[in-house]
Amino acid sequence: MTAPYQQIAAALRLRISTGELGRGERVPSTRELMREYGVAMATATKALTTLQAEGLVHARPGVGTVVGPARRTAARAGEPALSRDEVVRVAIALADTEGLAALSMRRIASELGVSTMGLYRHVGGKDALVLQMVDRALADFPLPADEPADWRAAIEAAARLQWSAYRRHLWLAGAVTIGRPQLLPSLLSHTDVVLRAVGGFGVDPSTAMYAAITVFGYVRGVALNLEAEALAEQDTGMTADEWAGEQAERLAVLAGGLAGFRALGEEFDFDFDLDQLFEFGLQLVLDGLGARLEPVRARLR
């Protein structure tokens, strides 16, 4: 009996051989294959990996998996055939198009045209590679050289850069942690911004660290919804507002006995937007920090 991943690979292979999918054209992503064939992500990923191993498709940054073999840039004289930066960049491109769960050392090796063991020699295992991906993804949104003198403006700038990185790389928020933070240069530099900003209030070290974790945790917390929302829109074909519109009647029934919802009024039309939510909450976090820190500075005067 033919395995499901082989059936999917065969169907895509036929579309490529007949010219239905031409060179450079995008093939269905793992999530699209999951929805179309009703399979798990691992199965969909294996189907695409099979075609990549055959040289029929490859991942193209910012586009997805497309028809045709990958074209690697020839190494210059004296340089290694494969660099760590190249591996990290390809891994980020794959995670951007297919999600972090679809990432494997075997798939990256296939994309680069090298052996899996050769890949391990460059970046270590997958866990080590993900750390390098996180560091590179955040480093692509560098902190300003001229940091704002105002504590609030400095924290805002760092928080918005983090948000931009999370928006660009939907997998990123799920790859970083708070309780056991990764010791990476890009993450530490963002933490340092908040520590120096609140340090001007004369607070104790624990308060300063909790302030930095609170800011980081808030931005990451909202950002965790970015990938889920993108997947929901892809699966349903509806934006958050369109989905909410379809739930209006059910919400009216369920919330009819709740005073807070009744106070919104029957004509209330809420426009949900994650960017607006991020900005709204960021100001609340900074207002709270100011209210907590200003009395400390006042006592020290």
Side-chain angles (χ1 to χ4, degrees):
M1 183 177 178
T2 306
Y5 85 89
Q6 292 174 321
Q7 296 175 17
I8 298 172
L12 292 175
R13 196 181 293 113
L14 178 61
R15 294 177 64 185
I16 293 171
S17 64
T18 59
E20 181 184 344
L21 288 172
R23 187 180 184 88
E25 289 190 66
R26 181 180 174 277
V27 301
S29 67
T30 53
R31 294 176 183 125
E32 290 169 332
L33 292 175
M34 289 166 60
R35 186 170 63 252
E36 181 178 351
Y37 291 94
V39 296
M41 177 172 282
T43 300
T45 299
K46 196 170 183 180
L48 291 180
T49 301
T50 299
L51 296 179
Q52 284 186 326
E54 297 171 5
L56 292 176
V57 301
H58 72 281
R60 179 176 296 171
V63 177
T65 302
V66 299
V67 177
R71 292 182 178 178
R72 292 189 57 211
T73 302
R76 289 176 293 183
E79 289 185 340
L82 184 65
S83 69
R84 178 178 297 181
D85 186 66
E86 182 180 8
V87 175
V88 173
R89 290 292 186 185
V90 168
I92 288 175
L94 285 170
D96 285 345
T97 55
E98 303 292 343
L100 198 61
L103 197 68
S104 70
M105 298 297 279
R106 181 179 178 183
R107 184 165 183 191
I108 298 168
S110 174
E111 179 65 27
L112 290 166
V114 298
S115 69
T116 304
M117 288 307 299
L119 197 61
Y120 276 101
R121 286 194 293 271
H122 278 85
V123 295
K126 182 179 176 180
D127 290 344
L129 174 59
V130 171
L131 287 177
Q132 295 171 63
M133 292 165 61
V134 170
D135 196 41
R136 169 49 55 194
L138 281 169
D140 284 341
F141 294 84
L143 293 163
D146 298 323
E147 186 176 298
D150 176 69
W151 73 270
R152 185 171 183 130
I155 295 177
E156 279 183 329
R160 290 192 178 114
L161 284 170
Q162 290 172 32
W163 179 252
S164 296
Y166 289 138
R167 258 216 161 285
R168 174 65 183 84
H169 306 287
L170 301 186
W171 53 270
L172 182 57
V176 297
T177 58
I178 294 178
R180 300 185 182 188
Q182 297 96 329
L183 302 180
L184 302 172
S186 58
L187 286 173
L188 291 175
S189 64
H190 278 260
T191 302
D192 190 63
V193 168
V194 184
L195 290 176
R196 285 186 283 109
V198 302
F201 288 86
V203 298
D204 63 89
S206 290
T207 298
M209 185 58 74
Y210 272 120
I213 294 172
T214 296
V215 173
F216 179 79
Y218 166 71
V219 182
R220 176 182 177 270
V222 180
L224 284 170
N225 295 282
L226 290 168
E227 185 172 35
E229 179 55 33
L231 286 173
E233 185 169 334
Q234 186 180 73
D235 290 341
T236 64
M238 294 186 292
T239 65
D241 286 337
E242 291 170 340
W243 179 86
E246 290 207 349
Q247 308 301 315
E249 290 186 10
R250 186 163 182 263
L251 176 61
V253 172
L254 293 174
L258 303 175
F261 278 96
R262 284 203 312 274
L264 296 176
E266 294 183 3
E267 301 302 318
F268 176 69
D269 184 19
F270 181 62
D271 232 355
F272 178 74
D273 182 86
L274 280 170
D275 289 305
Q276 290 187 42
L277 175 63
F278 163 70
E279 286 293 343
F280 181 83
L282 178 60
Q283 298 311 312
L284 290 183
V285 170
L286 295 174
D287 288 346
L289 276 177
R292 176 69 179 270
L293 300 177
E294 285 292 356
V296 176
R297 180 155 59 188
R299 287 197 300 270
L300 295 175
R301 286 173 179 168

